[in-house]
C-alpha cells in the first residue's frame, strides 16, 4: 500500500475542482484548505461556503479536504486567545505563523494551536521546542518561500530551512516536521516526492523527508479530528471503542 | 589476461576502473515538452549552480509531443538534486510520472500514457 501524502497548506480560495484533480494526479491523498484570519474576520459565511464547496468537490475527486485556520497576522496573545475561543471548534487544524517572539512562544505553549508555521527569520528557543514536543504539535515549513522572491531572499530562506532542519534532527524532533507547499495558486503546487527530495538535499534522511509529507501530517490530522469529535477529551486520555 | 592475451571479464572491470556511471530515467509530463528540458536545466542551474548541473548530468532521451511527455536521463547521484530543482522552481516545469533504471522501461511507460494529456489546464498568468 502506497504512502498517503498530504499538502497541509493550500489556500482555500484556489481550491477549484481542477486544482483538486491536479492534486490527485500529483499524488496527494489530502489537502489542508487554509482560510486566513483576515478572511474569517471579514466574511465568515463566505469562507465556510468556500470550505463546504471544497469538501464536496474533494470528495468527488477522492481528496480529503481538511479545514484549517491560519493566524498569519502579527497579533497580541490576548487577541489570538479571543480568536481561538471563537473559532477553535469550527476548524480541524489551527496554525500560527511564527511572526514575532511573543506569538511564537504563545503558539508553542497553547494547547489549542496545532501547527507552528515557521517563516524565514523566525526564532525558536529551547523552551518552544520543549512545548512542541510535549504537546505533540507540528513545526511546518512552506515551499512557497523557496519558489518566489528575489534570489537573495530565496537563498536566505534556504539557509534558514537548512538550519531549522539540522536543529530538529539534533533534538530528534523530525517526527514533528511537516512540509507544505503554502500554495495560493495552482502554479505553486509540486509533486510530493520532489518536495521530499528538496528536504533531503537540505540535510535530513529521505525517509524522514517523505514522512514530513505523509506520516506526520496524517497523524496530526487524525489527532486533531479525534480531539474535535471527543475521542480525546483531555490531553493524554483517549476513549477507546469497546 | 588469459593465456591468449585476451582480457578476462574481471580484468575489464579493473581496466574500466571507477568510470561506471549509473543513470536513472525520469518520465515527465509537461505542458510544453519541447521546451521543458531547457527549463529543467535552468532550474538546476539556478538552485545548484554549475556544479549541480555537472552532478546531475542531464540528457534528453525522447520527446512524445502527442502525449505531452518526455524522458530525461539523470545520474543517480543527481536524482534528488533534479527533483529538488523541480520543486523549488518558480514556475511549474513538469510532473514526474515515474523514475526507472532503464531507458527501455521508461519508453514503454511513456508510450503507454494516454495521448493529448491536459494536466496543466490553467493559463499561466505570467
Amino acid at each position: 500500500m502506497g504512502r498517503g501524502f498530504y499538502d497541509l497548506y493550500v489556500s482555500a480560495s484556489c481550491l477549484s475542482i481542477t486544482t483538486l484533480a491536479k492534486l490527485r494526479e500529483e499524488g496527494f491523498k489530502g489537502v489542508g484548505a487554509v482560510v486566513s484570519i483576515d478572511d474569517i474576520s471579514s466574511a465568515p459565511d463566505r469562507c465556510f461556503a468556500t470550505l463546504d464547496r471544497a469538501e464536496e468537490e474533494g470528495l468527488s475527486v477522492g481528496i480529503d479536504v481538511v479545514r484549517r485556520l491560519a493566524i498569519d497576522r502579527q497579533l497580541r496573545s490576548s487577541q489570538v486567545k479571543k480568536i481561538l475561543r471563537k473559532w477553535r471548534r469550527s476548524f480541524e487544524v489551527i496554525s500560527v505563523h511564527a511572526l514575532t517572539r511573543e506569538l511564537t512562544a504563545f503558539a508553542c505553549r497553547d494547547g489549542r494551536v496545532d501547527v507552528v508555521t515557521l517563516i524565514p527569520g523566525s526564532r525558536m528557543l529551547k523552551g518552544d521546542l520543549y512545548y512542541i514536543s510535549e504537546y505533540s504539535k507540528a513545526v511546518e515549513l512552506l515551499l512557497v518561500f523557496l519558489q518566489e522572491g528575489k534570489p537573495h531572499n530565496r537563498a536566505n530562506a534556504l539557509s534558514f530551512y537548512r538550519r531549522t532542519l539540522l536543529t530538529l534532527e539534533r533534538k530528534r524532533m523530525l517526527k514533528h516536521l511537516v512540509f507544505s507547499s503554502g500554495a495560493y495558486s495552482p502554479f505553486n503546487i509540486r509533486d510530493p516526492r520532489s518536495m521530499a527530495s528538496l528536504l533531503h538535499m537540505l540535510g535530513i534522511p529521505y525517509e524522514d523527508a517523505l514522512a514530513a509529507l505523509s506520516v506526520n501530517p496524517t497523524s496530526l490530522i487524525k489527532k486533531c479530528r479525534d480531539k474535535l469529535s471527543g475521542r480525546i477529551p483531555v490531553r493524554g486520555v483517549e476513549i477507546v471503542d469497546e | 589476461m588469459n593465456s591468449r592475451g585476451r582480457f578476462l571479464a574481471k580484468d575489464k572491470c579493473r581496466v574500466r576502473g571507477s568510470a561506471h556511471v549509473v543513470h536513472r530515467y525520469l518520465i515527465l509530463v509537461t505542458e510544453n515538452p519541447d521546451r521543458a528540458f531547457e527549463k529543467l536545466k535552468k532550474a538546476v542551474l539556478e538552485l545548484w549552480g554549475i556544479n549541480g548541473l555537472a552532478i546531475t548530468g542531464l540528457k534528453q532521451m525522447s520527446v512524445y509531443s502527442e502525449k505531452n511527455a518526455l524522458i530525461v536521463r539523470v545520474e543517480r547521484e543527481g536524482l534528488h538534486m533534479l527533483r529538488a530543482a523541480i520543486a523549488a522552481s518558480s514556475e511549474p516545469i513538469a510532473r514526474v510520472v515515474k523514475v526507472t533504471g532503464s531507458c527501455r522501461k521508461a519508453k514503454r511507460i511513456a508510450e503507454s500514457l494516454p495521448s493529448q494529456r491536459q494536466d496543466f489546464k490553467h493559463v499561466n498568468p505570467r
Side-chain angles (χ1 to χ4, degrees):
Chain A
M1 195 163 169
R3 285 176 186 265
F5 292 103
Y6 273 82
D7 187 351
L8 259 191
Y9 197 121
V10 177
S11 175
S13 54
C14 81
L15 277 180
S16 61
I17 188 110
T18 30
T19 311
L20 289 164
K22 183 185 176 190
L23 280 161
R24 192 85 185 102
E25 275 202 355
E26 295 279 3
F28 286 102
K29 180 182 157 191
V31 65
V34 169
V35 164
S36 78
I37 192 60
D38 288 333
D39 295 337
I40 199 74
S41 305
S42 58
D45 292 334
R46 194 175 58 185
C47 290
F48 285 118
T50 308
L51 287 171
D52 290 337
R53 182 186 49 78
E55 268 182 6
E56 275 173 28
E57 287 172 351
L59 210 62
S60 66
V61 164
I63 287 268
D64 174 24
V65 175
V66 178
R67 292 174 175 237
R68 176 173 166 175
L69 175 66
I71 300 172
D72 54 359
R73 203 153 48 91
Q74 197 168 322
L75 298 169
R76 300 178 69 86
S77 51
S78 54
Q79 292 169 303
V80 179
K81 282 182 194 170
K82 214 186 273 185
I83 290 165
L84 289 171
R85 262 199 303 273
K86 188 172 181 186
W87 298 114
R88 175 63 259 200
R89 298 212 66 85
S90 306
F91 292 91
E92 289 165 304
V93 176
I94 291 194
S95 70
V96 173
H97 278 47
L99 292 165
T100 60
R101 264 310 305 156
E102 185 194 352
L103 204 52
T104 310
F106 173 78
C108 296
R109 216 170 44 236
D110 194 291
R112 292 168 290 184
V113 175
D114 305 307
V115 180
V116 179
T117 304
L118 297 185
I119 59 168
S122 300
R123 276 185 69 215
M124 291 202 79
L125 303 180
K126 197 165 66 172
D128 299 332
L129 293 172
Y130 169 77
Y131 280 125
I132 286 170
S133 180
E134 181 73 16
Y135 294 153
S136 303
K137 292 178 192 282
V139 174
E140 186 182 44
L141 299 177
L142 298 181
L143 177 64
V144 70
F145 293 115
L146 302 179
Q147 290 174 327
E148 302 199 336
K150 294 178 184 173
H152 184 69
N153 294 339
R154 289 165 73 182
N156 281 343
L158 210 59
S159 164
F160 172 78
Y161 283 6
R162 182 176 280 121
R163 281 198 312 272
T164 304
L165 289 171
L166 287 178
T167 305
L168 290 174
E169 195 178 14
R170 206 173 59 234
K171 300 282 183 193
R172 296 197 187 109
M173 286 180 62
L174 283 177
K175 63 180 182 202
H176 297 279
L177 175 68
V178 167
F179 192 43
S180 309
S181 64
Y184 56 85
S185 95
F187 301 105
N188 297 122
I189 294 168
R190 302 286 182 268
D191 69 283
R193 289 185 186 270
S194 296
M195 290 169 68
S197 289
L198 181 58
L199 273 190
H200 172 58
M201 292 309 298
L202 291 176
I204 63 170
Y206 188 57
E207 276 303 311
D208 291 329
L210 283 174
L213 283 140
S214 54
V215 173
N216 298 351
T218 307
S219 62
L220 173 78
I221 290 163
K222 184 181 178 307
K223 186 196 81 175
C224 291
R225 283 175 169 161
D226 285 345
K227 272 182 6 185
L228 278 182
S229 68
R231 270 185 67 123
I232 301 178
V234 291
R235 191 158 49 94
V237 175
E238 183 179 346
I239 299 171
V240 177
D241 298 328
E242 287 180 16
Chain B
M1 252 189 229
N2 64 7
S3 55
R4 291 187 187 178
R6 293 207 178 153
F7 282 111
L8 298 171
K10 56 179 179 161
D11 293 331
K12 278 184 186 171
C13 290
R14 269 207 287 274
V15 165
R16 237 185 333 186
S18 59
H20 184 59
V21 176
V22 181
H23 293 107
R24 291 287 179 262
Y25 298 86
L26 281 82
I27 301 115
L28 303 163
V29 163
T30 176
E31 201 178 46
N32 192 346
D34 299 315
R35 288 175 49 199
F37 186 64
E38 288 306 315
K39 287 185 185 177
L40 275 177
K41 282 202 298 190
K42 189 182 160 199
V44 172
L45 195 62
E46 200 175 279
L47 188 62
W48 304 114
I50 295 169
N51 189 38
L53 204 57
I55 291 172
T56 49
L58 290 175
K59 184 180 175 188
Q60 182 175 272
M61 302 303 288
S62 316
V63 176
Y64 298 83
S65 302
E66 70 284 357
K67 295 175 191 288
N68 284 353
L70 75 156
I71 297 173
V72 168
R73 188 184 77 179
V74 63
E75 291 185 18
R76 187 178 57 187
E77 286 73 29
L79 174 61
H80 285 303
M81 278 181 150
L82 174 63
R83 292 198 83 158
I86 291 173
S89 65
S90 49
E91 53 169 350
I93 301 174
R95 178 171 67 86
V96 178
V97 172
K98 185 82 178 158
V99 179
T100 67
S102 67
C103 188
R104 201 169 63 170
K105 186 162 184 191
K107 284 180 178 170
R108 257 191 263 142
I109 293 170
E111 281 157 11
S112 72
L113 293 172
S115 297
Q116 292 295 323
R117 288 179 68 89
Q118 291 180 10
D119 291 312
F120 295 87
K121 289 180 187 170
H122 319 280
V123 176
N124 190 335
R126 286 175 273 183

